[in-house]
């Protein structure tokens, strides 16, 4: 069960409780599902009971108690645990990895895009797609390299969520296009109504000598209010470099596909009993992260999410291929599909940041 499907399942549980007369509320348009916070458990958690408590005239925990039976036993849901003031913590069944992997591989690097799935239902931001009706989201930034790079990345993320975007800047240097692949739609004061101003803390040094990929990562990985570090650490081919870990995890997943082909088998989504839950949660959370990054104009959320995906992926990869005299089995094909899904998410996220995802590293 994907996050979007789980969100729909939660809403269906609310509708059933209303139809049974146990809740007197209007069924909301969406239910937010996300990885559990501190004190939570399972694969996902939802605050729908807290959202409905006031209109229902009942304490959140009581609303959660009403909803729990309508979720337990649903195909794909293994258990539901109540925590805190009324959070519903949902553990998914064993078929969940196969459905998630199949969705990712079907969508490719567009997994999580608004036109690739109904992932917006799992978003934590009501304005995630901003302008699906054809109106234009206008971004404006000062004559500053980091501001232009951040605006460029924000525009990419907004577009993946279905928005039309126009970027203007107070000034623009041609070498920024050649060196970092950024562009703006207009230079000078932004015309029309006041746009969204993109004004991150400027970089303390020129990042262009780092090259396109490392420079963009150095400017985009920190939050906009943090001062980026511009140094050779972004070029280091070692685990201490987050960009290297992300690209290495992607390259390793691609290498496994090539190695499997040499062994005569290919990926096929299926149950993966030993799949790391943190990896499945990170992959399933990707659509929500993209929607939130668009809504909050924060591409750094994607960068940090990619690091989490990579860190959950790398320990899993050595178990993908057969060892010794083992023959390829359905389990190996399912593990390979999960590894390919992780690589696909990493490639898609890097692309949105304007960073290359090489198959060989």
């Amino acid at each position: 069960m994907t996050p979007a499907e789980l969100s729909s399942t939660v809403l269906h549980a609310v509708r059933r409780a209303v139809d049974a007369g146990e809740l007197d509320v209007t069924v909301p348009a969406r239910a937010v599902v996300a990885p559990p916070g501190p004190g939570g458990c399972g694969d996902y958690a939802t605050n729908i009971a807290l959202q409905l408590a006031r209109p229902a005239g009942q304490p959140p925990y009581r609303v959660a108690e009403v909803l729990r039976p309508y979720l337990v036993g649903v195909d794909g849901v293994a258990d539901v645990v109540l925590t805190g003031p009324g959070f519903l913590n949902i553990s998914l069944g064993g078929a969940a990895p196969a459905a998630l992997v199949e969705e990712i591989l079907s969508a490719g690097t567009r997994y999580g895009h608004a036109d690739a799935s109904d992932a917006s239902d799992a978003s934590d931001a009501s304005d995630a797609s901003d302008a699906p009706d054809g109106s234009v989201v206008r971004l404006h930034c000062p004559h500053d390299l980091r501001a232009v790079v951040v605006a460029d990345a924000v525009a990419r993320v907004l577009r993946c969520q279905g928005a039309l975007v126009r970027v203007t800047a107070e000034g623009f240097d041609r070498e920024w296009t050649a060196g970092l692949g950024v562009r703006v739609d207009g230079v000078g004061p932004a015309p029309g109504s006041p746009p969204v101003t993109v004004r991150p803390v400027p970089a303390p040094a020129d990042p262009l000598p780092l090259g396109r990929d490392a420079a963009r990562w150095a400017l985009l990985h920190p939050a906009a209010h943090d001062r980026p570090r511009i140094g050779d650490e972004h070029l280091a081919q070692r685990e201490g470099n987050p960009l290297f870990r992300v690209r290495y995890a992607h390259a390793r997943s691609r290498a496994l596909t090539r190695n499997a082909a040499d062994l005569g088998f290919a990926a096929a989504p299926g149950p993966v009993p030993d799949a790391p839950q943190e990896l499945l949660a990170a992959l399933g959370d990707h659509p929500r992260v993209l929607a939130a990054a668009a809504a909050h104009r924060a591409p750094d959320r994607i960068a940090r999410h990619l690091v989490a995906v990579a860190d959950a992926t790398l320990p899993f990869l050595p178990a993908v291929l057969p060892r010794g005299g083992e023959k390829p089995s359905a389990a190996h094909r399912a593990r390979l599909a999960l590894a390919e899904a992780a690589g696909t998410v990493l490639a898609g996220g890097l692309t949105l940041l304007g960073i290359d995802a090489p198959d060989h590293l």
Side-chain angles (χ1 to χ4, degrees):
M1 186 180 299
T2 66
E5 293 169 337
L6 182 56
S7 176
S8 297
T9 298
V10 172
L11 291 178
H12 184 60
V14 175
R15 190 171 295 109
R16 290 173 63 197
V18 170
D19 292 343
E22 295 191 64
L23 288 177
D24 183 12
V25 297
T26 299
V27 180
R30 66 179 62 204
V32 174
V33 295
C41 59
D43 300 302
Y44 292 97
T46 177
N47 66 349
I48 190 69
L50 283 73
Q51 180 182 342
L52 297 177
R54 179 170 300 215
Q58 300 186 47
Y61 199 88
R62 173 56 189 154
V63 176
E65 288 179 324
V66 170
L67 294 177
R68 183 181 183 277
Y70 293 101
L71 288 168
V72 174
V74 172
D75 287 345
V77 175
D79 193 16
V80 179
V81 176
L82 276 57
T83 59
F87 291 103
L88 290 154
N89 296 262
I90 304 169
S91 297
L92 301 179
L100 174 62
V101 168
E102 189 171 1
E103 180 186 3
I104 294 172
L105 296 181
S106 175
T109 55
R110 298 184 67 82
Y111 168 62
H113 291 215
D115 60 352
S117 70
D118 194 24
S120 60
D121 285 343
S123 167
D124 67 349
S126 61
D127 61 341
S129 60
D130 275 281
D133 59 353
S135 60
V136 177
V137 179
R138 297 171 57 249
L139 305 175
H140 186 70
C141 51
H143 183 199
D144 171 73
L145 176 55
R146 189 187 185 199
V148 171
V149 170
V150 171
D152 178 78
V154 170
R156 292 167 184 255
V157 179
L158 282 167
R159 290 181 184 118
C160 93
Q161 294 300 298
L164 301 175
V165 188
R166 177 177 173 81
V167 180
T168 57
E170 291 297 332
F172 187 81
D173 296 347
R174 287 187 177 181
E175 64 177 352
W176 295 352
T177 296
L180 298 182
V182 296
R183 67 180 181 85
V184 298
D185 301 303
V187 177
S193 58
V196 175
T197 301
V198 179
R199 195 184 296 273
V201 174
D206 182 7
L208 287 173
L210 296 177
R212 171 174 172 160
D213 293 333
R216 289 186 69 104
W217 181 268
L219 298 175
L220 295 173
H221 181 253
H225 58 266
D226 291 331
R227 185 174 297 277
R229 291 179 8 179
I230 307 299
D232 291 343
E233 66 269 17
H234 298 294
L235 300 173
Q237 302 291 296
R238 57 172 181 262
E239 290 187 359
N241 177 5
L243 174 59
F244 172 75
R245 294 204 304 278
V246 171
R247 300 175 88 190
Y248 179 66
H250 169 263
R252 286 285 296 121
S253 73
R254 296 297 182 251
L256 289 173
T257 299
R258 296 191 297 271
N259 294 339
D262 292 339
L263 294 174
F265 76 99
V272 185
D274 56 349
Q277 288 302 307
E278 60 272 19
L279 174 56
L280 296 176
L283 297 180
D285 201 34
H286 188 64
R288 185 194 65 82
V289 171
L290 297 189
H296 298 284
R297 320 292 192 255
D300 57 284
R301 294 187 179 210
I302 298 176
R304 291 194 297 273
H305 175 66
L306 294 180
V307 175
V309 172
D311 288 347
T313 299
L314 287 169
F316 170 71
L317 297 182
V320 170
L321 297 181
R323 297 181 181 180
E326 254 187 317
K327 292 190 177 297
S329 65
H332 294 114
R333 290 191 286 273
R335 292 192 195 107
L336 178 60
L338 177 55
E340 289 185 355
T344 298
V345 168
L346 293 171
L350 286 172
T351 299
L352 285 175
L353 299 178
I355 297 173
D356 185 36
D359 288 350
H360 301 270
L361 195 62

